Amino acid sequence: MRFIRPRSIPGQATGTMAGHFPWTLMYHSVAIARDDPYMITVSPARFRRQLRWLSSWGLRGVAVETLLRCHREGTARGLVGLSFDDGYRDFTEEVMPALVEYGFTATVYVVAGRLGGYNDWDQLGPRKPLMTALQVREVVAAGLEIGSHGLTHQRLAGLGARDLAAQVAGSRRALEDLTGQEVAGFCYPYGSLDAAAVAAVAGAGYSYGCAVSPGAHGGRYAIPRAYIGDRDGPLRMIAKLARDRWQR
């Protein structure tokens, strides 16, 4: 398929979206999948095309912590955040080689208490292996960002203080012990959050939190992201960018 670069990308001039934060994309798994009821999987070929489109538009994918730091410094022009939820093993097998090919980086949010296990929270979907502790260290050694996706991938809205502390602060401690580095970012499982959850993320010492559509809770600790799936070609991605520009 021949792709013609659009004349302009909404928000590209400043590298930020209208409102508060730059454009951040939300991925999950990159693999071949015949059964994908939750639509969390992008094929490796489609993923590489999506990276190529971003590059052709003059955008460079970076880790979310990097994106936000550049945004604060006023140097986020031409940057887009790449985030991957759940920490699937295919991040090391499919995503990392593609990122190297295009000179991009990214953030992967792992479930600290499920390393080496499977996505048993997806009852209807196929079982996908999660990164092991060794692979998490390999991601860090490669210069990519590791963030927390909770301890057991539990919905945070409505949880009591003790359970929130385990999911939010406990997962951060576990990942910092594993990697020997500060964990700056938290990502809400299922995008589920409330005021108490947001406060817990801030209180646990994270620099930021990633959500999906945070509504009234949006801010530094509940940053909105754009879902990207296997059906997203260049026109759909441009439409999502434009939509986010006007909704934020």
Side-chain angles (χ1 to χ4, degrees):
M1 173 183 176
R2 183 186 177 198
F3 174 67
I4 300 175
R5 177 176 173 173
R7 292 183 179 178
S8 64
I9 300 295
Q12 186 177 357
T14 61
T16 64
M17 306 309 301
H20 306 288
F21 299 105
W23 199 36
T24 302
L25 308 185
M26 176 182 67
Y27 287 93
H28 288 77
S29 172
V30 176
I32 300 297
R34 296 180 180 178
D35 181 23
D36 189 28
Y38 297 108
M39 301 179 69
I40 63 170
T41 309
V42 175
S43 74
R46 170 68 81 175
F47 178 62
R48 275 183 161 79
R49 288 197 294 271
Q50 290 170 343
L51 297 188
R52 185 172 73 245
W53 295 328
L54 291 173
S55 182
S56 72
W57 298 337
L59 298 174
R60 179 167 62 91
V62 297
V64 178
E65 193 277 333
T66 299
L67 180 71
L68 297 178
R69 185 182 70 250
C70 290
H71 178 61
R72 292 192 300 271
E73 297 170 351
T75 59
R77 180 189 178 98
L79 302 183
V80 57
L82 298 182
S83 64
F84 294 78
D85 293 10
D86 300 338
Y88 294 107
R89 196 173 302 175
D90 56 55
F91 183 85
T92 62
E93 299 164 348
E94 299 289 353
V95 176
M96 288 177 64
L99 294 175
V100 170
E101 181 179 340
Y102 286 90
F104 289 2
T105 60
T107 302
V108 56
Y109 299 102
V110 301
V111 183
R114 293 287 188 268
L115 299 182
Y118 294 86
N119 58 328
D120 52 8
W121 55 83
D122 287 336
Q123 297 181 358
L124 301 180
R127 288 292 169 261
K128 289 176 173 284
L130 305 175
M131 285 192 295
T132 65
L134 177 60
Q135 288 169 325
V136 169
R137 293 192 187 100
E138 290 174 349
V139 169
V140 172
L144 304 179
E145 182 189 8
I146 289 287
S148 172
H149 204 35
L151 196 63
T152 59
H153 203 278
Q154 187 172 358
R155 296 180 186 273
L156 299 193
L159 283 186
R162 179 178 297 181
D163 289 334
L164 272 178
Q167 293 295 326
V168 176
S171 63
R172 185 172 191 249
R173 286 194 300 270
L175 292 177
E176 290 183 337
D177 288 344
L178 173 63
T179 65
Q181 295 190 7
E182 179 182 2
V183 173
F186 184 87
C187 179
Y188 298 91
Y190 305 103
S192 171
L193 54 82
D194 55 16
V198 174
V201 172
Y206 292 96
S207 298
Y208 71 90
C210 273
V212 184
S213 299
H217 300 294
R220 175 181 169 187
Y221 292 103
I223 298 168
R225 297 177 295 162
Y227 160 82
I228 300 295
D230 197 56
R231 298 179 181 179
D232 288 320
L235 295 181
R236 285 173 61 98
M237 291 181 72
I238 291 173
K240 288 184 176 183
L241 197 162
R243 176 202 64 194
D244 285 1
R245 167 158 171 59
W246 293 112
Q247 288 183 348
R248 294 185 187 181

